[in-house]
Amino acid sequence: MSSPNTSPTISDEQTVEERYLRQLFVRSQMTDFVADPLVMSKADGVHYWDVNGKQYLDALAGIYVVSVGHNNRRVIDSIKQQMDVLSFSPVMHGTNPLAVQLANKLAEVAPGDLDAVKLLSGGSEATEAAIKMARQYHKLRGNATKYKIISRYQSWHGSTMGSLSAGGLASRRAVNEPLAGGFVHVFPPTCYRCPFGKEYSSCDITCASLIGDVIQMEGPETVAAVMVEPIGHTGGIIDPPEEYLPMLREICDKHDVLLVFDEIITGAGRTGQMFAAETFGVTPDLVCLGKGISGGYAPLSALICRRSIADTFWGDSSSNPGFVEGHTFEGNPLSAAVGLATLSEIIDRDLCGNARRVGAHLKERLGDLRKHNIIGDIRGKGLFLCIEFVEDLESKAQFNPPIGQAVGKRALANGLLTRFDPHWIALGPPLIITEEQADEMVEILDRSITEVLAER
Ligand SMILES: Cc1ncc(COP(=O)(O)O)c(C=O)c1O
């Protein structure tokens, strides 16, 4: 078999061979990857098939992207129709109707006065743009010294130099150091393993109040923004206590610091509302969307800001250059068509409601895995969930060697795609998933854990 209309010299089946994979960089270490390569060839609904015909239940929506499921005809038809009309417009000089329509749709569904939109192509572009918008906003208001960005250890905001500098993953930062200046890191709200050795709720939410202290120590006149994922991903689905984000809102308001939510994963319905901002009842000043608003059908991300911030960028061009940020593919009409169709699918089919319902069911069913006596914690909201493995439930001691990757790889061999880490496994399936499919995910995880424990 070969891909349609591409006249390949290599068949699809041959693409798993090392001699051909040597010409490609994937995300993993290539030496490991070629030993057991995963090359997907088609997908439908909540399933993938690899080039060998093996089927996978997609408990990860690709990587939190395929919100409306694979092979969604409405989205596919929208991009096909748009291709016949206009595939690219001159971004240097103008825009196109689809970009304007998508910006207005996003402004309509975004909470509060989040109202003006910069359309981009990937998550890193959106978080990078948020950093730039925060800095330029303060400059335009005469506060040029407000440039520092406060973000969290264990976070991930993207691969570009600014977003990487905001990120807090030591392993991904170290290989690129020195990183950009002006970034300050604080500890995340990891209740299960409180970085301050405290217990909720007698802790007074130190993880939030400390951010106020850090702003004071840095000097409020130097701080532009606090940037957080409402639910942190890379630390193992760090679901903050309910007081945390409202406290951040208050702290930021007090110091004229912008609050930025990186909702690249949590946006587009994943936590059971269109935005996690709504799930937590806190409106940020800037919000970054990516992954799920594209449904995976075309590269698409967005930065949305509050009306008062957007207005700062209007004015006489001799003194106000507008928002100085641009990319060749921003507001691309094909991506915008995809975004409009994906949003319509989420709204018309009430996929936020489905994420709440099936998410609650899946979380409860994950509780069944506690029978293995190695599940220390189950976290998350909607269809963004995680189980953390511990060797000792009492002391929370972690497995050595870690077990998470072994279980995740076994689940993959058993036909289930998840996000696995040394000590946790996360699930983020398409929002169209049914309770029966959620049950099947838990059954495969159950079997995979049993098999891995039997072999240790
Ligand atoms: C929370 C978060 N922010 C930003 C990004 C960067 O997005 P992208 O990989 O599309 O550049 C990611 C990617 O995984 C992410 O999870």
Side-chain angles (χ1 to χ4, degrees):
M1 198 182 109
S2 59
S3 306
N5 306 325
T6 49
S7 310
T9 53
I10 306 164
S11 74
D12 283 8
E13 289 75 13
Q14 284 176 308
T15 57
V16 296
E17 294 177 22
E18 178 174 343
R19 60 186 165 141
Y20 297 120
L21 285 172
R22 277 202 169 263
Q23 273 64 50
L24 178 72
F25 278 106
V26 297
R27 182 83 177 255
S28 321
Q29 161 57 263
M30 287 304 296
T31 314
D32 295 343
F33 183 73
V34 296
D36 190 15
L38 180 62
V39 183
M40 297 303 194
S41 70
K42 67 171 188 172
D44 186 48
V46 296
H47 291 99
Y48 272 112
W49 286 265
D50 69 18
V51 287
N52 298 317
K54 182 178 161 77
Q55 178 180 301
Y56 300 84
L57 181 54
D58 182 7
L60 197 57
I63 179 73
Y64 308 110
V65 169
V66 189
S67 47
V68 296
H70 301 276
N71 198 15
N72 180 298
R73 299 320 302 177
R74 185 179 189 177
V75 184
I76 292 169
D77 286 348
S78 78
I79 193 169
K80 278 184 171 170
Q81 280 172 22
Q82 184 55 37
M83 265 180 167
D84 285 336
V85 180
L86 176 74
S87 294
F88 187 82
S89 62
V91 71
M92 199 66 200
H93 313 293
T95 184
N96 59 80
L98 278 290
V100 180
Q101 287 156 0
L102 177 57
N104 278 268
K105 187 73 191 166
L106 283 169
E108 181 192 318
V109 298
D113 64 345
L114 284 163
D115 202 32
V117 182
K118 179 82 172 169
L119 292 173
L120 297 153
S121 304
S124 307
E125 279 186 10
T127 52
E128 191 85 24
I131 294 165
K132 292 180 183 174
M133 181 173 272
R135 287 181 173 174
Q136 208 195 326
Y137 163 77
H138 289 299
K139 278 206 171 97
L140 284 170
R141 292 171 71 235
N143 299 321
T145 60
K146 280 173 94 68
Y147 68 92
K148 291 178 191 164
I149 308 293
I150 297 179
S151 53
R152 302 191 303 217
Y153 294 117
Q154 294 187 318
S155 65
W156 179 247
H157 296 295
S159 290
T160 53
M161 220 48 175
S163 62
L164 183 66
S165 305
L169 278 188
S171 58
R172 296 192 197 174
R173 289 166 56 88
V175 292
N176 289 298
E177 283 174 341
L179 298 174
F183 292 85
V184 178
H185 290 85
V186 294
F187 283 95
T190 317
C191 276
Y192 183 63
R193 297 179 186 280
C194 177
F196 309 103
K198 296 186 176 180
E199 288 281 331
Y200 181 78
S201 59
S202 60
C203 62
D204 289 334
I205 324 294
T206 304
C207 49
S209 62
L210 207 74
I211 294 180
D213 298 341
V214 168
I215 293 175
Q216 288 287 8
M217 296 303 284
E218 293 288 329
E221 71 285 358
T222 71
V223 181
V226 169
M227 179 151 100
V228 296
E229 300 158 76
I231 298 178
H233 174 236
T234 35
I237 318 298
I238 307 300
D239 194 356
E242 61 184 59
E243 300 89 338
Y244 180 83
L245 292 171
M247 281 175 73
L248 253 53
R249 180 68 277 174
E250 235 175 74
I251 291 165
C252 286
D253 285 345
K254 183 173 165 198
H255 296 294
D256 188 24
V257 165
L258 297 184
L259 180 59
V260 183
F261 281 0
D262 175 349
E263 293 220 32
I264 302 295
I265 292 180
T266 59
R270 183 140 301 279
T271 68
Q273 303 285 346
M274 188 62 85
F275 294 79
E278 297 164 285
T279 301
F280 288 99
V282 173
T283 305
D285 298 301
L286 307 178
V287 62
C288 305
L289 287 180
K291 296 188 186 279
I293 48 158
S294 78
Y297 292 87
L300 175 66
S301 66
L303 169 64
I304 314 177
C305 70
R306 298 179 76 170
R307 174 46 48 200
S308 55
I309 296 170
D311 287 346
T312 310
F313 291 87
W314 284 68
D316 184 340
S317 59
S318 62
S319 57
N320 185 334
F323 182 31
V324 183
E325 171 71 343
H327 290 272
T328 300
F329 296 109
E330 70 174 61
N332 181 278
L334 299 179
S335 298
V338 159
L340 282 163
T342 302
L343 277 172
S344 296
E345 277 288 89
I346 294 174
I347 294 164
D348 294 352
R349 295 171 64 183
D350 188 24
L351 295 183
C352 294
N354 199 57
R356 286 197 300 277
R357 279 187 300 277
V358 184
H361 175 79
L362 179 58
K363 196 170 187 179
E364 191 186 320
R365 286 297 322 277
L366 287 171
D368 297 352
L369 301 176
R370 289 192 190 270
K371 69 182 179 197
H372 293 287
N373 287 325
I374 60 166
I375 307 296
D377 202 17
I378 300 173
R379 295 187 287 270
K381 288 192 166 41
L383 285 170
F384 189 32
L385 300 169
C386 157
I387 50 176
E388 177 168 339
F389 298 109
V390 288
E391 186 155 31
D392 187 300
L393 294 176
E394 200 61 38
S395 69
K396 302 180 185 174
Q398 294 178 322
F399 278 94
N400 186 14
I403 198 173
Q405 273 159 343
V407 174
K409 281 185 185 164
R410 181 57 59 99
L412 196 58
N414 287 332
L416 181 72
L417 182 71
T418 64
R419 165 71 158 85
F420 45 86
D421 193 83
H423 300 290
W424 49 267
I425 285 186
L427 304 178
L431 309 182
I432 60 167
I433 194 173
T434 63
E435 289 193 359
E436 291 70 33
Q437 288 159 340
D439 290 342
E440 195 184 337
M441 288 174 187
V442 178
E443 278 151 27
I444 299 176
L445 276 177
D446 189 7
R447 180 152 44 96
S448 305
I449 293 172
T450 304
E451 288 170 6
V452 168
L453 287 176
E455 286 164 14
R456 278 172 87 92

